[in-house]
C-alpha cells in the first residue's frame, strides 16, 4: 500500500475513534480510565499515527464506546458488509454465541 493510502487509513481510523469518543462525551483521559487503554495510545490513534489496532485495545475501546466492530475494521481498510459480500447470517450467529475471551481470540486471528 502506498504511503498516501497508509496516511488516509490512519486518518480515517483516528477520525472515527475521535467521533465516537466525542459522541460519548469522554475525554481521552476518561476513555483511558474506563477502557484500560493508555491515553497516549488513544491519542496516537486519533492523531493518525496508528493504522491497525491490536485486538485487546480494539475490543476494550469498542466495549466502552459501543461502536459496531465493522466501523473501525472498515476504517482500517478491511472489507466488511457489502464490500466483502455481506456477513453470512449463520457465521454472525456463531460469533455472537462466543464469550468475550473467544471473540477476542477470533479477532486476534483476523487482525
Amino acid at each position: 500500500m502506498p504511503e498516501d493510502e497508509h496516511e488516509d487509513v490512519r486518518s480515517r481510523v483516528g477520525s472515527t475513534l475521535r467521533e465516537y469518543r466525542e459522541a460519548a462525551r469522554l475525554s481521552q483521559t476518561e476513555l483511558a480510565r474506563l477502557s484500560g487503554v493508555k491515553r497516549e495510545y488513544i491519542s496516537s490513534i486519533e492523531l493518525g499515527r496508528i493504522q491497525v489496532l491490536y485486538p485487546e485495545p480494539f475490543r476494550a475501546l469498542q466495549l466502552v464506546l459501543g461502536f459496531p466492530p465493522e466501523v473501525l475494521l472498515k476504517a482500517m481498510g478491511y472489507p466488511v458488509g457489502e464490500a466483502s459480500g455481506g456477513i453470512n447470517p449463520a457465521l454472525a450467529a456463531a460469533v455472537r454465541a462466543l464469550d468475550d475471551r473467544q471473540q477476542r481470540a477470533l479477532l486476534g486471528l483476523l487482525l
Side-chain angles (χ1 to χ4, degrees), residues 54-84:
Y54 289 102
E56 291 298 323
F58 180 101
R59 181 73 172 140
L61 294 169
Q62 188 261 332
L63 287 172
V64 172
L65 296 176
F67 58 81
E70 300 84 28
V71 170
L72 273 188
L73 289 172
K74 184 176 180 180
M76 286 188 271
Y78 291 98
V80 294
E82 291 180 22
S84 65

Side-chain angles (χ1 to χ4, degrees), residues 34-70:
L34 292 170
S35 68
V37 176
K38 291 184 179 183
R39 191 206 57 78
E40 294 81 5
Y41 188 76
I42 294 168
S43 176
S44 291
I45 296 166
E46 290 188 3
L47 291 172
R49 295 182 184 141
I50 296 175
Q51 176 175 334
V52 177
L53 282 64
Y54 289 102
E56 291 298 323
F58 180 101
R59 181 73 172 140
L61 294 169
Q62 188 261 332
L63 287 172
V64 172
L65 296 176
F67 58 81
E70 300 84 28

Side-chain angles (χ1 to χ4, degrees), residues 15 20 26-27 42-43 61-62 66 75 79 83 85 92 98 106 109 111:
S15 296
Y20 274 90
L26 295 172
S27 68
I42 294 168
S43 176
L61 294 169
Q62 188 261 332
L98 299 174
L106 178 60
L109 292 172
L111 298 178

